[in-house]
Amino acid sequence: MNNAELKKALLSGEPVQRLGTRYSCVSAIIYRAYRGEIHITAELRDRCDHSVTIVHASEVEPIQPETAE
């Protein structure tokens, strides 16, 4: 996800996924300065609300609604 998509997901509380694993929501967006560049990471809350996973923003994907055939 890009920065705008992450912000939308953060504010809406919608579920997201990373590498096929579903998370209940984006709970934070983290900006880190490293060697003169900004690196954006996302904090993802697990579905049981027991832990969070911090990943690079580009690894986060929206969950596509299932379509009926």
Side-chain angles (χ1 to χ4, degrees), residues 20-39:
T21 301
R22 184 182 176 122
Y23 294 86
S24 65
C25 66
V26 175
S27 53
I29 301 171
I30 305 162
Y31 299 89
R32 298 182 196 275
Y34 180 72
R35 295 186 180 181
E37 295 183 4
I38 298 292
H39 292 263

Side-chain angles (χ1 to χ4, degrees), residues 7-9 11 13 19-23 26 28-29 31 36 38 42 44-45 53 56-57 59 62-63 69:
K7 285 180 183 180
K8 180 180 177 265
L11 293 173
L19 302 175
T21 301
R22 184 182 176 122
Y23 294 86
V26 175
I29 301 171
Y31 299 89
I38 298 292
L44 308 179
R45 184 176 299 143
T53 301
H56 193 277
E59 297 176 355
I63 293 181
E69 292 183 26

Side-chain angles (χ1 to χ4, degrees), residues 36-55:
E37 295 183 4
I38 298 292
H39 292 263
I40 303 171
T41 56
E43 180 183 276
L44 308 179
R45 184 176 299 143
D46 79 337
R47 295 191 309 177
C48 297
D49 288 337
H50 292 281
S51 66
V52 296
T53 301
I54 298 174
V55 301

